[in-house]
Amino acid sequence: QLRFVESGGGLLQPGGSLRLSCEVSGFSLKNYAIGWFRHSPIEEREPVSCLGASGKITVYFDSVNGRFMMSRDNAKNTVYLQMNNLQSDDAGVYYCAPRHMFCTDSPANYDPWGQGIRVDVST
């Protein structure tokens, strides 16, 4: 059974950094892509970035390019989203979700979903 635990959210001031974690169990990261999605007041579950089973990273937001970076620790079965220079537009609830092998930008292709992690950016 695929399971994962999301952690690492919080409240930061603009310019701050956070690292979100997605610890998985019941499947191997070598066979699954992990996508990070964001639920904001404007969009529901828009894709942020995805790390494919091969290790290829896809970034879906131009606004986070160079600021957000995904990485993976196979020994810990954990995928990370390092978020730097956070801005108010980055606020929202972040979700990680798995998909077999390859990334896509459609949340409908990922399953299951967790509770999400809240990230707030405010002065």
Side-chain angles (χ1 to χ4, degrees):
Q1 184 177 2
L2 279 65
R3 293 182 180 177
F4 49 90
V5 177
E6 302 149 319
S7 61
L11 170 62
L12 277 85
Q13 293 185 342
S17 295
L18 271 179
R19 188 175 75 166
L20 305 183
S21 300
C22 180
E23 183 178 358
V24 307
S25 62
F27 63 98
S28 171
L29 290 174
K30 297 179 182 179
N31 298 320
Y32 279 83
I34 298 293
W36 282 101
F37 295 80
R38 179 171 69 202
H39 185 161
S40 69
I42 301 174
E43 295 285 341
E44 182 174 354
R45 295 197 182 176
E46 50 192 353
V48 175
S49 186
C50 180
L51 194 155
S54 67
K56 178 183 177 182
I57 296 172
T58 302
V59 178
Y60 295 106
F61 273 158
D62 287 342
S63 65
V64 307
N65 227 338
R67 297 190 298 120
F68 290 11
M69 177 58 68
M70 289 187 69
S71 62
R72 181 173 73 190
D73 187 332
N74 289 337
K76 295 183 178 180
N77 290 330
T78 302
V79 174
Y80 303 99
L81 180 66
Q82 178 68 42
M83 309 163 70
N84 299 322
N85 191 20
L86 282 161
Q87 305 299 316
S88 57
D89 288 347
D90 298 322
V93 179
Y94 285 74
Y95 298 85
C96 67
R99 183 179 188 270
H100 189 245
M101 293 303 292
F102 305 111
C103 296
T104 73
D105 61 358
S106 172
N109 293 325
Y110 293 77
D111 182 73
W113 293 83
Q115 296 300 311
I117 316 167
R118 185 164 190 86
V119 174
D120 289 308
V121 183
S122 175
T123 56

